[in-house]
Amino acid sequence: MKNKVLILILALFSWSTHAQVLKLKNQEFELHNVTGEIVTFQGKKALKIERDLNAIPFDSTRLEATVDEPHYARLLGLEDFENGTIEVKMYSQLQNPAPYSGIAGFIGLYFRIQPDDSAFESIYLRPKVGRSDNQLRRNHTVQYFSYPDYKFDTLRKIAPHRYEGSAPVALNEWITMRIEVNGETAELFINDMKYSSFIVDKMLGKTKKGFVGLYVDIGTIGYFRDLKVTKRALQVKKAGEKEIAI
């Protein structure tokens, strides 16, 4: 048993010492199953990342098994995010040629990531459909999932419409994404709007704290800058506070 534990520790150490680390201003990002570089994009420094299909192969016939995996850039120096605010500016482009016909510019955030990538929470966007003239497509713009047990396809089957929503976003433009995390809830704000676009009233993961990461999936070229993470104590509702249903 001791030998197995030692092997696991050595494996994790080997990964951490070989993973590529990029520095943007005063922040360092460790690449997990993505390729990346620091670039000047539209006049400002940004972290550019794309999913590494050699590290985690994609199979269009096995979407549930090969998307929403640990392909992201991890913010180093903050391993205990639990509650608070995560805000980032991000820009989604589609790869050309497209590796898959269903690409939609998948881009967003991971949080409460476990050190070994075994579990995390996520909210991400599909900017390609954010301003579609088809309402059904618009309703798939925002996606919550909880890795590893509740990825997007599972959630569509067991709780259709509950973990997806709309947001006024598009490809090829900067999007300010802010998530307010508080206990079991997560609330999404887009482009500094006063009111949220999307709420997860009860997250499904068992992880309570961990790292924060920047996510892209199949077919996305993602640019990120101005990541801000603010930790905050759990905000408990006052006694007697209730939601009113109409």
Side-chain angles (χ1 to χ4, degrees), residues 25-97:
K25 295 184 179 179
N26 63 341
Q27 294 175 322
E28 290 187 324
F29 296 91
E30 186 177 75
L31 305 188
H32 289 229
N33 304 310
V34 293
T35 60
E37 58 182 325
I38 303 300
V39 299
T40 299
F41 182 69
Q42 296 186 348
K44 294 188 177 183
K45 293 289 186 182
L47 172 62
K48 175 186 176 183
I49 58 173
E50 301 175 61
R51 176 173 164 176
D52 185 349
L53 296 179
N54 292 317
I56 301 182
F58 169 77
D59 184 347
S60 62
T61 66
R62 300 174 59 245
L63 287 179
E64 176 69 2
T66 61
V67 298
D68 297 345
E69 289 286 305
H71 32 73
Y72 72 102
R74 173 185 290 185
L75 174 65
L76 296 179
L78 180 67
E79 68 283 346
D80 61 349
F81 177 82
E82 182 175 5
N83 300 303
T85 301
I86 310 168
E87 181 177 308
V88 69
K89 289 181 173 62
M90 57 193 195
Y91 189 105
S92 178
Q93 289 181 335
L94 299 184
Q95 293 176 348
N96 187 13

Side-chain angles (χ1 to χ4, degrees), residues 161-227:
H161 313 301
R162 182 173 180 180
Y163 296 104
E164 293 182 76
S166 62
V169 298
L171 294 166
N172 303 314
E173 65 181 37
W174 284 104
I175 300 165
T176 300
M177 180 177 187
R178 186 174 95 246
I179 301 176
E180 299 284 349
V181 182
N182 187 58
E184 295 182 322
T185 68
E187 194 164 1
L188 171 69
F189 295 79
I190 293 293
N191 294 335
D192 301 316
M193 295 178 69
K194 182 178 180 180
Y195 299 104
S196 61
S197 297
F198 179 72
I199 298 174
V200 184
D201 48 32
K202 185 175 176 57
M203 290 186 284
L204 301 173
K206 297 179 181 178
T207 66
K208 299 305 178 186
K209 62 178 64 177
F211 289 94
V212 169
L214 308 175
Y215 151 95
V216 294
D217 210 327
I218 181 75
T220 300
I221 304 170
Y223 298 87
F224 298 86
R225 60 180 174 86
D226 300 339
L227 174 64

